[in-house]
Amino acid sequence: MTISPQVATSILPAAVRILEANWNGSYTLPAAGLYPHQWSWDSAFIAMGLRHISPRRAGQELDSLLAGQWADGRIPQIIFDVHRDQDYSPGASFWRSELLDASPDDVLTAGLVQPPNHAWAVWKIHQADPVESGRRRFLQRAYPRLVAWHEYLLTRRDRGGRGLASIVHPWESGTDNSPLWDEALQAVPAESRHTIVRPDLLHADATERPSHRDYGRYFWLAERYRDHDCDDADADYPFLMEDPAFNTLLAVSELALEKIAAELGLDGARHAKAAEAIAGALEELFDEQVGCYVARNVCTGRLASKATINGLLPLLIPNVRRRAELIQTATGVRFLGGASLLVPSYDATATDMDPQLYWRGPAWFNMNWMMVTAFAQAGETGRATELASAALRLALDNDFPEYVNPWTGTPHGTRKFSWTAALALDLEVDAVHGLL
Ligand code: 9WN
């Protein structure tokens, strides 16, 4: 991969400074102002970059996240810093996890989850320094927890009964206001009982964040889930979606568990089988019209027929059956072919695509990092290299933003965003080692 010498020598110190500043002693804040707690899938992405600076600290990041795991196996969306409860909503006082037997005694958490990229991260951290990992018995401690996490998703969360995990809230997708959830959210009342406060708007422009109407629905759903003790047995619960990105990460993480099991001298065959079963079940979500995978509304059986970055991510699954179609769609007018610098989060040809509104158009660095990995894996090295170069330059030139306009590169959301720094670092290291 060719990256300019100026970018190559600047990413490392700039990214390290951000990861240092956002480290709070046992985990990394996604962003010091906007996101003042520990977030689940952020921590896994951050650890994938941190492993290049300190494999030990990357392990700690995951250890502190796994300390928030519930007895039913779930790894929560957020582990709260109780001293900053006023700075983010909904916080610990909304979730009241201390009242539930299944939640841990010593930390307060949200009841929701986020996409399961953790086993993938654990395996990468181990590989970065197997001796250090062995000394800390990192894999031995993480493996049973990760198995319990996946079991939770493939049993309690298989609300559709088709071998895919359902999300119960847009926040669980990590792509909060993606157009994939629009139709299903129509069935959700827009008014919650809780008074909604928006500390997020102190740190990001309202035009770049979900609307108040979106938040009304988000809070209504969160209240309903909380008031049913977060037990996943609420028969009339109105928002259950099978997300192709969430389930892709589950399959990729099952493949990581297969490797972890082998390293521990255990039989990993069941994990390979699970990954294959998830990939097979995902096939039902392929939409010929839009040329990628889409989400299914478990409550109605309807497909949300929209082209989003979530629907391209199954390209990360080795031997995915629709590889050729996915590459065609990713490089066609809906995504990169529309003269985009990075892969947008939503179909560039859609009339409601908004290049600066959160998950409804902008390009995100974690998604583009996954697309670089997917292209490289599919043998599309030219694409992978081009995308990685653009991501590195845009990250560095814009103080590691949360997301950017995919056409102009204009930064949006917060800056000094931890996963942007960590994943840029990872891309740079791969580039230096000729892995891209
Ligand atoms: C809700 C922390 C998180 C990311 C999500 C991103 C955003 C939170 C929010 O920030 O979501 O979880 O308040 O908007 O959408 O992917 O994990 O960085």
Side-chain angles (χ1 to χ4, degrees):
M1 168 176 165
T2 339
I3 48 173
S4 81
Q6 182 253 335
V7 169
T9 52
S10 316
I11 285 280
L12 182 70
V16 170
R17 268 197 301 278
I18 290 170
L19 294 172
E20 287 292 337
N22 290 346
W23 175 254
N24 85 343
S26 47
Y27 61 86
T28 312
L29 305 177
L34 186 58
Y35 305 120
H37 307 289
Q38 181 173 29
W39 258 262
S40 169
W41 80 327
D42 294 64
S43 269
F45 283 128
I46 292 163
M48 296 194 204
L50 263 186
R51 78 194 153 121
H52 300 300
I53 317 169
S54 164
R56 185 157 172 275
R57 191 189 280 191
Q60 257 178 295
E61 178 89 37
L62 262 291
D63 282 342
S64 75
L65 182 70
L66 291 171
Q69 184 169 33
W70 289 29
D72 59 15
R74 87 184 69 194
I75 297 179
Q77 172 208 10
I78 306 173
I79 300 183
F80 294 111
D81 173 353
V82 286
H83 305 295
R84 298 203 55 189
D85 206 40
Q86 301 309 311
D87 298 342
Y88 183 82
S89 182
S93 53
F94 171 91
W95 282 104
R96 305 193 298 251
S97 65
E98 68 279 14
L99 302 180
L100 297 178
D101 289 342
S103 74
D105 291 335
D106 40 1
V107 283
L108 300 180
T109 83
L112 302 172
V113 300
Q114 274 195 317
N117 55 346
H118 314 91
W120 193 17
V122 163
W123 179 239
K124 281 179 182 280
I125 295 165
H126 169 77
Q127 285 176 300
D129 188 345
V131 175
E132 160 72 11
S133 162
R135 196 167 34 234
R136 300 179 60 243
R137 297 183 58 77
F138 181 56
L139 293 185
Q140 281 88 343
R141 288 182 292 107
Y143 178 72
R145 288 181 172 269
L146 294 166
V147 168
W149 163 224
H150 289 194
E151 257 166 32
Y152 166 75
L153 293 174
L154 288 169
T155 55
R156 304 270 296 270
R157 284 303 189 89
D158 184 5
R159 296 289 303 261
R162 280 179 287 256
L164 293 173
S166 293
I167 56 166
V168 301
H169 196 292
W171 285 329
E172 292 202 316
S173 65
T175 57
D176 311 352
N177 66 345
S178 164
L180 285 178
W181 326 129
D182 288 358
E183 189 181 299
L185 283 171
Q186 294 309 311
V188 176
E191 299 295 323
S192 71
R193 278 174 282 128
H194 191 89
T195 310
I196 298 176
V197 286
R198 301 282 309 266
D200 58 320
L201 299 183
L202 297 173
H203 305 281
D205 198 278
T207 58
E208 302 175 357
R209 291 280 302 167
S211 67
H212 289 303
R213 204 171 167 72
D214 292 333
Y215 259 75
R217 294 196 160 100
Y218 296 165
F219 270 79
W220 189 95
L221 278 174
E223 274 173 1
R224 167 87 177 230
Y225 191 68
R226 177 198 65 188
D227 295 346
H228 216 270
D229 294 345
C230 305
D231 69 0
D232 301 309
D234 183 350
D236 304 318
Y237 190 81
F239 185 92
L240 298 169
M241 298 294 295
E242 290 166 353
D243 171 19
F246 191 105
N247 282 285
T248 292
L249 286 170
L250 186 54
V252 168
S253 278
E254 281 290 347
L255 292 173
L257 280 187
E258 183 195 9
K259 297 195 183 97
I260 295 172
E263 187 79 359
L264 293 173
L266 304 169
D267 181 10
R270 66 177 169 133
H271 299 302
K273 248 192 238 148
E276 208 177 303
I278 296 162
L282 268 174
E283 283 313 301
E284 281 183 41
L285 303 190
F286 191 82
D287 188 316
E288 305 280 351
Q289 292 294 313
V290 296
C292 67
Y293 294 81
V294 298
R296 177 166 43 209
N297 182 339
V298 170
C299 302
T300 62
R302 284 172 60 84
L303 293 181
S305 204
K306 295 183 179 187
T308 64
I309 183 80
N310 305 44
L312 297 178
L313 287 184
L315 199 51
L316 274 174
I317 302 176
N319 306 323
V320 64
R321 265 159 259 179
R322 303 295 189 145
R323 176 185 292 162
E325 290 99 317
L326 288 177
I327 291 174
Q328 202 180 356
T329 306
T331 55
V333 285
R334 294 186 196 275
F335 293 98
L336 284 170
S340 289
L341 300 167
L342 297 180
V343 187
S345 48
Y346 182 36
D347 188 343
T349 67
T351 50
D352 57 344
M353 195 278 194
D354 180 339
Q356 64 179 37
L357 180 52
Y358 213 42
W359 292 99
R360 304 181 72 88
W364 287 71
F365 289 86
N366 61 335
M367 295 302 193
N368 276 270
W369 175 86
M370 288 192 276
M371 288 303 294
V372 169
T373 310
F375 279 138
Q377 208 171 270
E380 296 280 323
T381 36
R383 293 272 174 207
T385 304
E386 216 175 291
L387 199 55
S389 291
L392 283 170
R393 193 177 50 72
L394 289 172
L396 186 65
D397 288 353
N398 296 295
D399 198 16
F400 300 86
E402 194 175 5
Y403 42 91
V404 297
N405 178 316
W407 302 315
T408 62
T410 309
H412 295 290
T414 189
R415 305 296 192 275
K416 299 188 180 4
F417 191 56
S418 294
W419 83 36
T420 304
L423 298 175
L425 187 58
D426 188 61
L427 288 177
E428 197 212 5
V429 171
D430 276 358
V432 167
H433 290 106
L435 297 175
L436 283 175

